[in-house]
Amino acid sequence: MYHLTALVTLLAILFYFFITINVSRSRTKTGVKVPAMSGHPDFERAFRIQMNTLEWMPIFLPSLWLFAIYINDAGAATIGTVWIVGRIVYFIGYSKAAAKRGPGFFIQGIAAIVLWAGTLGALVLRLV
């Protein structure tokens, strides 16, 4: 069973839900009315945090689950947790200034690459 990977998946979805609500709060705080997508730097950063996370979810989630299936649940969950921590660091940094988003992006990017490359390696080994 993949209980740990399921838990990390739910935590990633919870984090995404949190940053989605943050965009709504930022709209209210900065006065950026729907359907506008720009207008205040604080709102624009909150929106980009949400969109960048959404852009990474189709890379992260399949890689997470394939890693759990082809390698193991605990390893997937551990690396998946690192990905979430990276997204949190990204959120904190980018919320302050665009120039501060790098460390979180690096952490989550490395975690996603490890999940993807680890799965690819395990799959190739099984095919040969």
Side-chain angles (χ1 to χ4, degrees):
M1 299 304 274
Y2 304 102
H3 301 303
L4 297 173
T5 300
L7 178 60
V8 169
T9 300
L10 292 172
L11 291 173
I13 293 167
L14 179 65
F15 176 71
Y16 186 74
F17 183 69
F18 166 78
I19 61 173
T20 300
I21 290 172
N22 187 60
V23 171
S24 180
R25 272 188 281 166
S26 183
R27 263 190 197 285
T28 302
K29 182 178 174 185
T30 61
V32 176
K33 303 289 183 210
V34 172
M37 303 308 285
S38 62
H40 192 282
D42 290 345
F43 167 75
E44 290 173 11
R45 285 193 309 273
F47 181 70
R48 280 307 310 148
I49 292 165
Q50 180 198 16
M51 288 297 99
N52 187 265
T53 302
L54 181 61
E55 292 160 5
W56 274 88
M57 294 288 263
I59 297 166
F60 167 67
L61 288 173
S63 298
L64 174 74
W65 279 93
L66 291 169
F67 191 100
I69 292 165
Y70 283 97
I71 299 176
N72 70 49
D73 181 43
T78 300
I79 299 166
T81 300
V82 170
W83 186 86
I84 294 169
V85 168
R87 293 310 308 179
I88 292 168
V89 171
Y90 181 84
F91 168 78
I92 292 167
Y94 205 169
S95 292
K96 294 176 184 173
K100 295 183 178 186
R101 72 189 190 280
F105 189 85
F106 178 77
I107 294 165
Q108 67 88 41
I110 293 297
I113 290 167
V114 168
L115 289 168
W116 183 86
T119 301
L120 179 63
L123 183 57
V124 167
L125 286 175
R126 289 179 186 209
L127 290 173
V128 258

